[in-house]
PDB file of all heavy atoms in Angstrom:
ATOM      1  N   PRO R  67      -3.056  32.144   4.830  1.00 98.00           N
ATOM      2  CA  PRO R  67      -2.744  33.526   4.409  1.00 98.00           C
ATOM      3  C   PRO R  67      -1.546  33.636   3.465  1.00 98.00           C
ATOM      4  O   PRO R  67      -1.451  34.581   2.693  1.00 98.00           O
ATOM      5  CB  PRO R  67      -2.441  34.235   5.740  1.00 98.00           C
ATOM      6  CG  PRO R  67      -2.053  33.146   6.687  1.00 98.00           C
ATOM      7  CD  PRO R  67      -2.843  31.939   6.282  1.00 98.00           C
ATOM      8  N   HIS R  68      -0.647  32.640   3.487  1.00 98.00           N
ATOM      9  CA  HIS R  68       0.529  32.714   2.605  1.00 98.00           C
ATOM     10  C   HIS R  68       0.456  31.696   1.471  1.00 98.00           C
ATOM     11  O   HIS R  68       1.428  31.528   0.735  1.00 98.00           O
ATOM     12  CB  HIS R  68       1.808  32.478   3.435  1.00 98.00           C
ATOM     13  CG  HIS R  68       1.926  33.391   4.624  1.00 98.00           C
ATOM     14  ND1 HIS R  68       2.062  34.755   4.510  1.00 98.00           N
ATOM     15  CD2 HIS R  68       1.894  33.121   5.960  1.00 98.00           C
ATOM     16  CE1 HIS R  68       2.111  35.292   5.723  1.00 98.00           C
ATOM     17  NE2 HIS R  68       2.014  34.329   6.624  1.00 98.00           N
ATOM     18  N   TYR R  69      -0.704  31.022   1.353  1.00 98.00           N
ATOM     19  CA  TYR R  69      -0.945  30.064   0.267  1.00 98.00           C
ATOM     20  C   TYR R  69       0.022  28.884   0.281  1.00 98.00           C
ATOM     21  O   TYR R  69       0.301  28.314  -0.767  1.00 98.00           O
ATOM     22  CB  TYR R  69      -0.882  30.777  -1.083  1.00 98.00           C
ATOM     23  CG  TYR R  69      -1.920  31.859  -1.239  1.00 98.00           C
ATOM     24  CD1 TYR R  69      -1.646  33.172  -0.863  1.00 98.00           C
ATOM     25  CD2 TYR R  69      -3.183  31.570  -1.736  1.00 98.00           C
ATOM     26  CE1 TYR R  69      -2.598  34.172  -0.984  1.00 98.00           C
ATOM     27  CE2 TYR R  69      -4.140  32.565  -1.871  1.00 98.00           C
ATOM     28  CZ  TYR R  69      -3.840  33.867  -1.484  1.00 98.00           C
ATOM     29  OH  TYR R  69      -4.797  34.852  -1.593  1.00 98.00           O
ATOM     30  N   ARG R  80      -1.538  38.788  -9.279  1.00 98.00           N
ATOM     31  CA  ARG R  80      -2.475  39.917  -9.160  1.00 98.00           C
ATOM     32  C   ARG R  80      -3.135  40.201 -10.499  1.00 98.00           C
ATOM     33  O   ARG R  80      -2.493  40.094 -11.547  1.00 98.00           O
ATOM     34  CB  ARG R  80      -1.713  41.160  -8.689  1.00 98.00           C
ATOM     35  CG  ARG R  80      -1.225  41.064  -7.253  1.00 98.00           C
ATOM     36  CD  ARG R  80      -0.218  42.148  -6.969  1.00 98.00           C
ATOM     37  NE  ARG R  80       0.192  42.178  -5.576  1.00 98.00           N
ATOM     38  CZ  ARG R  80       1.065  41.328  -5.032  1.00 98.00           C
ATOM     39  NH1 ARG R  80       1.613  40.371  -5.793  1.00 98.00           N
ATOM     40  NH2 ARG R  80       1.401  41.400  -3.760  1.00 98.00           N
ATOM     41  N   TYR R  99      -6.549  41.774  -2.701  1.00 97.00           N
ATOM     42  CA  TYR R  99      -5.153  42.242  -2.611  1.00 97.00           C
ATOM     43  C   TYR R  99      -5.162  43.762  -2.723  1.00 97.00           C
ATOM     44  O   TYR R  99      -4.709  44.339  -3.718  1.00 97.00           O
ATOM     45  CB  TYR R  99      -4.350  41.647  -3.760  1.00 97.00           C
ATOM     46  CG  TYR R  99      -3.520  40.424  -3.395  1.00 97.00           C
ATOM     47  CD1 TYR R  99      -4.101  39.345  -2.752  1.00 97.00           C
ATOM     48  CD2 TYR R  99      -2.164  40.350  -3.689  1.00 97.00           C
ATOM     49  CE1 TYR R  99      -3.362  38.223  -2.432  1.00 97.00           C
ATOM     50  CE2 TYR R  99      -1.407  39.225  -3.374  1.00 97.00           C
ATOM     51  CZ  TYR R  99      -2.027  38.166  -2.747  1.00 97.00           C
ATOM     52  OH  TYR R  99      -1.283  37.044  -2.423  1.00 97.00           O
ATOM     53  N   HIS R 105      -4.502  35.867  -6.681  1.00 98.00           N
ATOM     54  CA  HIS R 105      -4.631  34.406  -6.517  1.00 98.00           C
ATOM     55  C   HIS R 105      -6.072  33.914  -6.493  1.00 98.00           C
ATOM     56  O   HIS R 105      -6.436  33.057  -5.678  1.00 98.00           O
ATOM     57  CB  HIS R 105      -3.917  33.982  -5.233  1.00 98.00           C
ATOM     58  CG  HIS R 105      -2.427  34.089  -5.305  1.00 98.00           C
ATOM     59  ND1 HIS R 105      -1.706  34.084  -6.479  1.00 98.00           N
ATOM     60  CD2 HIS R 105      -1.501  34.233  -4.324  1.00 98.00           C
ATOM     61  CE1 HIS R 105      -0.420  34.202  -6.226  1.00 98.00           C
ATOM     62  NE2 HIS R 105      -0.247  34.294  -4.923  1.00 98.00           N
ATOM     63  N   HIS R 179       1.557  26.767  -5.171  1.00 99.00           N
ATOM     64  CA  HIS R 179       2.254  27.796  -4.398  1.00 99.00           C
ATOM     65  C   HIS R 179       3.106  27.201  -3.278  1.00 99.00           C
ATOM     66  O   HIS R 179       3.189  27.746  -2.183  1.00 99.00           O
ATOM     67  CB  HIS R 179       1.223  28.758  -3.798  1.00 99.00           C
ATOM     68  CG  HIS R 179       1.742  30.135  -3.564  1.00 99.00           C
ATOM     69  ND1 HIS R 179       2.712  30.432  -2.640  1.00 99.00           N
ATOM     70  CD2 HIS R 179       1.442  31.324  -4.138  1.00 99.00           C
ATOM     71  CE1 HIS R 179       2.977  31.719  -2.637  1.00 99.00           C
ATOM     72  NE2 HIS R 179       2.218  32.289  -3.547  1.00 99.00           N
ATOM     73  N   TYR R 181       6.297  26.393  -1.047  1.00 99.00           N
ATOM     74  CA  TYR R 181       7.538  27.074  -0.664  1.00 99.00           C
ATOM     75  C   TYR R 181       8.585  25.992  -0.457  1.00 99.00           C
ATOM     76  O   TYR R 181       8.429  25.166   0.446  1.00 99.00           O
ATOM     77  CB  TYR R 181       7.361  27.841   0.651  1.00 99.00           C
ATOM     78  CG  TYR R 181       6.459  29.051   0.600  1.00 99.00           C
ATOM     79  CD1 TYR R 181       5.080  28.910   0.463  1.00 99.00           C
ATOM     80  CD2 TYR R 181       6.985  30.334   0.707  1.00 99.00           C
ATOM     81  CE1 TYR R 181       4.247  30.026   0.426  1.00 99.00           C
ATOM     82  CE2 TYR R 181       6.158  31.457   0.686  1.00 99.00           C
ATOM     83  CZ  TYR R 181       4.800  31.284   0.540  1.00 99.00           C
ATOM     84  OH  TYR R 181       3.981  32.385   0.505  1.00 99.00           O
ATOM     85  N   SER R 211       3.027  46.259  -7.468  1.00 98.00           N
ATOM     86  CA  SER R 211       3.417  44.895  -7.848  1.00 98.00           C
ATOM     87  C   SER R 211       2.573  44.259  -8.946  1.00 98.00           C
ATOM     88  O   SER R 211       2.457  43.029  -9.008  1.00 98.00           O
ATOM     89  CB  SER R 211       3.417  43.964  -6.619  1.00 98.00           C
ATOM     90  OG  SER R 211       4.602  44.182  -5.881  1.00 98.00           O
ATOM     91  N   ASP R 251      10.004  38.749  -6.372  1.00 98.00           N
ATOM     92  CA  ASP R 251       8.555  38.487  -6.352  1.00 98.00           C
ATOM     93  C   ASP R 251       8.068  38.834  -7.751  1.00 98.00           C
ATOM     94  O   ASP R 251       7.125  39.614  -7.929  1.00 98.00           O
ATOM     95  CB  ASP R 251       7.890  39.369  -5.285  1.00 98.00           C
ATOM     96  CG  ASP R 251       6.417  39.012  -5.088  1.00 98.00           C
ATOM     97  OD1 ASP R 251       5.963  38.011  -5.688  1.00 98.00           O
ATOM     98  OD2 ASP R 251       5.723  39.761  -4.366  1.00 98.00           O
ATOM     99  N   VAL R 283       6.627  32.783 -11.648  1.00 98.00           N
ATOM    100  CA  VAL R 283       6.809  33.823 -10.626  1.00 98.00           C
ATOM    101  C   VAL R 283       7.704  33.220  -9.553  1.00 98.00           C
ATOM    102  O   VAL R 283       7.410  32.147  -9.017  1.00 98.00           O
ATOM    103  CB  VAL R 283       5.467  34.246  -9.994  1.00 98.00           C
ATOM    104  CG1 VAL R 283       5.691  35.092  -8.744  1.00 98.00           C
ATOM    105  CG2 VAL R 283       4.626  35.009 -11.010  1.00 98.00           C
ATOM    106  N   TYR R 285       9.127  33.791  -5.938  1.00 99.00           N
ATOM    107  CA  TYR R 285       8.841  34.590  -4.749  1.00 99.00           C
ATOM    108  C   TYR R 285       9.698  34.089  -3.612  1.00 99.00           C
ATOM    109  O   TYR R 285       9.667  32.908  -3.275  1.00 99.00           O
ATOM    110  CB  TYR R 285       7.349  34.470  -4.388  1.00 99.00           C
ATOM    111  CG  TYR R 285       6.968  35.153  -3.096  1.00 99.00           C
ATOM    112  CD1 TYR R 285       7.314  36.478  -2.843  1.00 99.00           C
ATOM    113  CD2 TYR R 285       6.260  34.463  -2.114  1.00 99.00           C
ATOM    114  CE1 TYR R 285       6.971  37.102  -1.657  1.00 99.00           C
ATOM    115  CE2 TYR R 285       5.900  35.075  -0.924  1.00 99.00           C
ATOM    116  CZ  TYR R 285       6.263  36.399  -0.710  1.00 99.00           C
ATOM    117  OH  TYR R 285       5.913  37.017   0.463  1.00 99.00           O
ATOM    118  N   SER R 289       7.976  38.685   3.005  1.00 97.00           N
ATOM    119  CA  SER R 289       7.209  39.386   4.064  1.00 97.00           C
ATOM    120  C   SER R 289       7.108  38.508   5.310  1.00 97.00           C
ATOM    121  O   SER R 289       7.150  37.281   5.233  1.00 97.00           O
ATOM    122  CB  SER R 289       5.807  39.723   3.555  1.00 97.00           C
ATOM    123  OG  SER R 289       5.230  38.577   2.980  1.00 97.00           O
ATOM    124  N   GLU R 310       6.167  29.638  -9.100  1.00 98.00           N
ATOM    125  CA  GLU R 310       4.759  29.560  -9.542  1.00 98.00           C
ATOM    126  C   GLU R 310       4.703  29.601 -11.079  1.00 98.00           C
ATOM    127  O   GLU R 310       4.623  30.655 -11.685  1.00 98.00           O
ATOM    128  CB  GLU R 310       3.964  30.697  -8.920  1.00 98.00           C
ATOM    129  CG  GLU R 310       4.017  30.720  -7.386  1.00 98.00           C
ATOM    130  CD  GLU R 310       3.725  32.083  -6.800  1.00 98.00           C
ATOM    131  OE1 GLU R 310       2.731  32.719  -7.197  1.00 98.00           O
ATOM    132  OE2 GLU R 310       4.508  32.503  -5.918  1.00 98.00           O
TER     133      GLU R 310
HETATM  134  C1  G6D F 401       2.818  38.332  -1.375  1.00 75.99           C
HETATM  135  O1  G6D F 401       3.522  39.545  -3.318  1.00 75.99           O
HETATM  136  C2  G6D F 401       3.512  38.251  -2.719  1.00 75.99           C
HETATM  137  C3  G6D F 401       2.810  37.276  -3.612  1.00 75.99           C
HETATM  138  O2  G6D F 401       3.527  37.149  -4.831  1.00 75.99           O
HETATM  139  C4  G6D F 401       2.712  35.924  -2.908  1.00 75.99           C
HETATM  140  O3  G6D F 401       2.057  35.012  -3.756  1.00 75.99           O
HETATM  141  C5  G6D F 401       1.959  36.100  -1.608  1.00 75.99           C
HETATM  142  O4  G6D F 401       2.632  37.032  -0.785  1.00 75.99           O
HETATM  143  C6  G6D F 401       1.863  34.786  -0.840  1.00 75.99           C
HETATM  144  O5  G6D F 401       1.586  38.949  -1.547  1.00 75.99           O
END
Side-chain angles (χ1 to χ4, degrees):
H68 306 295
Y69 299 90
R80 291 166 175 78
Y99 261 52
H105 290 337
H179 208 293
Y181 291 71
S211 281
D251 188 6
V283 168
Y285 174 51
S289 49
E310 303 157 48

